[in-house]
Amino acid sequence: GDAVLKRLTTLLQAKLRSADSLARWGGEEFVILCPNTGRSTAAMLAERLRREVAMAKFPEAGAVTVSIGVAECEPGESWEQWFERADEALYRAKTGGRNQVQAAPETPQRAGPEQYVVANFVQLVWHPAYECGNELVDRGHRQLFADANELLSAILSEHTAEQVNAIVDRLVADILQHFCDEETVIVDAGFPAAAEHIVLHRALVDQALKLTGAYRTGTKGVGDVFQFLAYDVVTKHMLGADRVFFDTLRPQAAAAGRPGKRLSTRSKPPQRQSTPAMPDPLA
């Protein structure tokens, strides 16, 4: 048993990031703390650890598997409450067949349209309610959804580092191109807050370049890159900040459907000018 635990801790420690902390908690239980890490990134890390252990050789015991529960500490939550939610998720993993990762659900006060990034989704799903009516902008948004799904698939399928790097490079290039296209559209449309929106773009670009640079040097994981795209770009920006210029673009999109107009947009029905409930892009 001691030999198995030593081998297990060596495996786990080798796959953790420098900021993560591994500690033994009881006889055969461990706790891993992941600072500044969202639930989806932590869950992907947990799945990577689970696979690493399942594929490893334990001379003293043969095959060994682990069950993992994941919980993100929420605002105002005590250590005991946080740990209890993680422990409950671990219990579900054990009773559900073992050798799996289970994520604790978010508490009701945090559930809302801004909380799209969860651990157990398969892909981001585009919904017509996300469209602004300008084909160039909508096409860019759909492309970033596709990039996110491709990166997620590569991570979960454990593609080679070269394959993942190529996808990361492509998604960053697509973000830069989309921001450039979107800025041209909103300036030409006379969006009053275009300058402020462009500043938001610059901040996201700076973050993207710093993050990918850290990823290249090994100080950040690919899960952090995915977290940035899925949460900061898709959820917070595309489905949040971008919606403030939709009402400016939609009249032009409607005009594009009339005779004599040649705008590169498409018309959208008036009822979509206000969307009280945004559909969740994760499925």
Side-chain angles (χ1 to χ4, degrees):
D2 289 343
V4 170
L5 291 175
K6 290 179 181 179
R7 169 70 171 148
L8 177 65
T9 55
T10 300
L11 286 173
L12 297 177
Q13 194 68 61
K15 292 298 179 179
L16 294 178
R17 304 166 301 180
S18 59
D20 300 331
S21 300
L22 172 68
R24 189 174 179 183
W25 189 271
E28 298 178 350
E29 292 188 349
F30 294 83
V31 171
I32 298 173
L33 296 179
C34 305
N36 301 315
T37 303
R39 191 168 64 135
S40 61
T41 302
M44 285 191 286
L45 173 62
E47 176 62 20
R48 190 177 301 122
L49 297 177
R50 183 201 65 78
R51 292 184 183 182
E52 185 72 17
V53 174
M55 294 187 299
K57 302 298 182 182
F58 289 79
E60 303 83 4
V64 171
T65 62
V66 293
S67 300
I68 306 177
V70 177
E72 180 180 354
C73 187
E74 300 183 350
E77 190 172 32
S78 68
W79 157 257
E80 290 77 11
Q81 293 169 325
W82 180 24
F83 182 85
E84 182 178 356
R85 291 196 301 112
D87 197 45
E88 289 173 352
L90 173 60
Y91 180 77
R92 289 199 308 272
K94 289 181 178 179
T95 57
R98 300 178 180 270
N99 190 28
Q100 60 182 269
V101 175
Q102 288 287 334
E106 293 175 318
T107 53
Q109 61 265 29
R110 286 197 62 192
E114 74 282 2
Q115 296 299 327
Y116 295 113
V117 182
V118 296
N120 59 346
F121 60 87
V122 176
Q123 62 179 345
L124 294 167
V125 178
W126 179 264
H127 192 281
Y130 305 150
E131 298 177 358
C132 68
N134 182 282
E135 181 58 32
L136 185 60
V137 174
D138 290 338
R139 184 167 63 245
H141 287 173
R142 288 193 295 268
Q143 182 60 54
L144 293 183
F145 265 60
D147 290 344
N149 287 331
E150 185 178 6
L151 179 58
L152 177 62
S153 176
I155 294 172
L156 297 181
S157 300
E158 298 184 335
H159 286 191
T160 65
E162 290 76 13
Q163 292 172 317
V164 173
N165 289 343
I167 298 172
V168 170
D169 289 340
R170 185 162 59 252
L171 77 86
V172 172
D174 286 343
I175 289 173
L176 296 175
Q177 182 62 55
H178 168 65
F179 282 173
C180 181
D181 293 340
E182 185 177 276
E183 289 166 11
T184 299
V185 169
I186 62 176
V187 169
D188 290 345
F191 175 52
E196 292 86 344
H197 200 81
I198 292 173
V199 170
L200 293 179
H201 284 178
R202 296 295 177 267
L204 288 173
V205 168
D206 288 344
Q207 185 179 352
L209 296 178
K210 290 178 181 178
L211 182 59
T212 53
Y215 166 62
R216 297 298 187 198
T217 60
T219 57
K220 290 289 186 180
V222 69
D224 297 301
V225 176
F226 177 80
Q227 177 81 359
F228 167 75
L229 176 71
Y231 182 67
D232 291 293
V233 176
V234 175
T235 301
K236 290 180 63 178
H237 190 77
M238 282 175 48
L239 302 183
D242 277 3
R243 294 187 68 79
V244 299
F245 62 67
F246 278 19
D247 287 342
T248 301
L249 299 187
R250 278 171 173 154
Q252 290 194 348
R258 300 171 188 157
K261 300 294 183 179
R262 297 184 59 84
L263 298 177
S264 59
T265 57
R266 61 184 180 186
S267 61
K268 306 303 293 182
Q271 60 267 28
R272 283 194 182 158
Q273 291 182 9
S274 178
T275 307
M278 288 289 289
D280 196 323
L282 300 173

